[in-house]
């Protein structure tokens, strides 16, 4: 059977839940200044569940977001603490890889306000340079337009580490990016920049399969890690939203989610995991089903 890379699940959502702090526009970022061990505990739980990747809690560690919250002077500190927590958990577990998360600039799901690629590339290049020493690979997350993808991929040009591109598709149409552009429009960028894998992330699991049918044609390893939101609400698309503008599904427990992911493996996906609202219990069940089906988790 296939060798499957098992990603972890939600980092930011888990931090908010475990910290007991109220939701803020920075989600889980500020907690690392005072309680970084919360993040480390989450990484440890995912490794224990069977994940082979620790995704750093750097999705929202971006100068534009920190500046808006008045904590831009903690930029380097937050990157260092996020990398250190992932590294410590990996070392304690004794195996695994660290994926340095690169989130969308300004806001998630808002490609209409993202900087142009020739500006975005410099922002991402700084992140890549600072995270490169601790990263085994770079994970560009929740890309919602072709332009966003280009800026992030350009920003990763300075690393010799693997680069994985993860894109988010519309809630009701897995063949289109959240910008409305066809998912197939990414093909020229994949050909030009040669990312090491192409994934679908932070999308409803019901629409992922139709998207995978497209990206599998890009000729790269592919996969998915979906979210557990009912939908991306209008409230979350406003300026500086908080996560409480999104509603968690009640029908997507570990077994139903793992069933979706096993379907993606059936389509040929070799990288699977979870995104927002998908926790350690989901990953543990997915690991169980993968092993039961004879797959080797790597």
């Amino acid at each position: 059977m296939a060798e499957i890379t098992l990603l972890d699940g939600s980092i930011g959502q888990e931090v908010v839940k475990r910290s007991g702090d109220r939701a803020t526009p920075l989600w889980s970022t500020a907690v690392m200044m005072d309680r970084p061990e919360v993040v480390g505990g989450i990484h440890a739980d995912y490794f224990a569940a069977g994940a082979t990747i620790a995704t750093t809690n750097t999705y929202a560690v971006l100068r534009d977001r920190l500046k808006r919250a008045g904590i831009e002077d903690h930029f380097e500190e937050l990157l260092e603490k996020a990398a250190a927590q992932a590294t410590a958990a990996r070392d304690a577990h004794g195996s695994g890889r660290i994926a340095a998360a690169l989130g969308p600039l300004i806001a998630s799901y808002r490609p209409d306000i993202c900087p142009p690629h020739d500006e975005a590339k410099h922002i991402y290049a700084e992140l890549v340079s600072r995270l490169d020493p601790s990263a085994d690979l770079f994970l560009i997350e929740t890309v919602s337009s072709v332009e966003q993808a280009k800026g992030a991929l350009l920003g990763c040009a300075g690393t010799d580490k693997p680069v994985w591109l993860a894109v988010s598709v519309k809630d009701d149409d897995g063949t289109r990016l959240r910008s409305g552009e066809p998912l197939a429009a990414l093909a020229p960028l994949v050909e030009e920049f040669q990312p090491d894998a192409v994934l679908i992330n932070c999308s409803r699991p019901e629409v992922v399969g139709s998207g995978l049918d497209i990206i599998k044609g890009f000729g790269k390893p592919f996969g998915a890690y979906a979210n557990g939101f009912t939908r991306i609400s209008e409230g979350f698309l406003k300026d500086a939203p908080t996560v409480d503008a999104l509603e968690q599904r009640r029908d997507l427990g570990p077994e139903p989610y793992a069933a979706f992911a096993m379907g993606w493996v059936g389509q040929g996906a070799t990288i699977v995991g979870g995104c927002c609202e998908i926790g350690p219990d989901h990953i543990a069940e997915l690991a169980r089903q993968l092993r039961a089906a004879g797959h080797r988790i790597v």
Side-chain angles (χ1 to χ4, degrees):
M1 301 298 282
E3 291 190 342
I4 305 295
T5 296
L6 182 56
L7 301 170
D8 48 14
S10 169
I11 301 296
Q13 294 288 87
E14 282 293 308
V15 169
V16 170
K17 290 176 180 178
R18 297 186 189 198
S19 68
D21 296 336
R22 68 179 182 86
T24 71
L26 272 183
W27 289 25
S28 63
T29 302
V31 74
M32 288 192 298
M33 292 192 289
D34 302 317
R35 300 173 61 193
E37 70 280 358
V38 174
V39 177
I42 293 167
H43 290 313
D45 286 352
Y46 280 123
F47 278 131
T52 57
I53 300 282
T55 306
T56 61
N57 188 34
T58 52
Y59 180 91
V61 183
L62 300 161
R63 288 192 182 277
D64 60 76
R65 301 195 190 200
L66 301 184
K67 184 176 182 180
R68 192 164 58 213
I71 57 172
E72 187 184 1
D73 56 333
H74 292 279
F75 176 70
E76 292 86 355
E77 173 194 352
L78 289 166
L79 290 176
E80 290 171 4
K81 285 187 173 180
Q85 290 299 315
T87 299
R90 189 270 315 275
D91 291 348
H93 183 64
S95 64
R97 288 182 287 170
I98 294 172
L102 304 176
L105 304 180
I106 302 180
S108 300
Y109 324 117
R110 291 296 307 277
D112 55 309
I113 59 174
C114 76
H117 68 264
D118 55 352
E119 178 181 335
K121 68 179 182 182
H122 300 295
I123 300 170
Y124 282 116
E126 180 187 18
L127 286 165
V128 169
S129 175
R130 292 186 179 278
L131 289 169
D132 196 81
S134 58
D136 294 304
L137 62 100
F138 285 91
L139 180 57
I140 303 169
E141 295 195 286
T142 321
V143 168
S144 297
S145 72
V146 173
E147 180 73 357
Q148 270 191 330
K150 186 171 184 178
L153 288 167
L154 282 167
C156 291
T159 184
D160 59 0
K161 306 285 178 63
V163 175
W164 295 358
L165 175 66
V167 303
S168 186
V169 294
K170 294 176 73 68
D171 285 349
D172 58 353
D173 186 353
T175 70
R176 292 189 173 275
L177 296 166
R178 292 196 182 273
S179 62
E181 298 166 286
L183 192 53
L186 289 168
L189 280 185
V190 173
E191 178 64 27
E192 178 181 359
F193 292 98
Q194 293 293 311
D196 296 271
V198 183
L199 312 170
I200 295 174
N201 85 299
C202 215
S203 306
R204 299 183 80 245
E206 286 86 351
V207 301
V208 166
S210 59
L212 292 182
D213 284 338
I214 293 171
I215 67 172
K216 71 190 298 183
F218 294 168
K220 296 290 181 182
F222 68 94
Y225 53 114
N227 67 35
F229 295 135
T230 55
R231 62 188 177 89
I232 303 305
S233 67
E234 291 300 318
F236 197 79
L237 297 178
K238 298 183 184 301
D239 292 341
T242 57
V243 73
D244 52 7
L246 297 170
E247 182 182 353
Q248 180 181 2
R249 290 174 63 163
R250 304 299 176 190
D251 62 343
L252 201 60
E255 290 187 11
Y257 184 79
F260 278 114
M262 293 301 291
W264 307 332
V265 171
Q267 291 179 263
T270 57
I271 305 168
V272 292
C275 202
C276 304
E277 301 290 3
I278 305 303
D281 289 346
H282 294 81
I283 299 304
E285 175 61 21
L286 178 51
R288 187 194 70 77
Q289 291 196 25
L290 286 167
R291 294 188 182 107
H295 299 295
R296 179 167 174 259
I297 298 174
V298 297

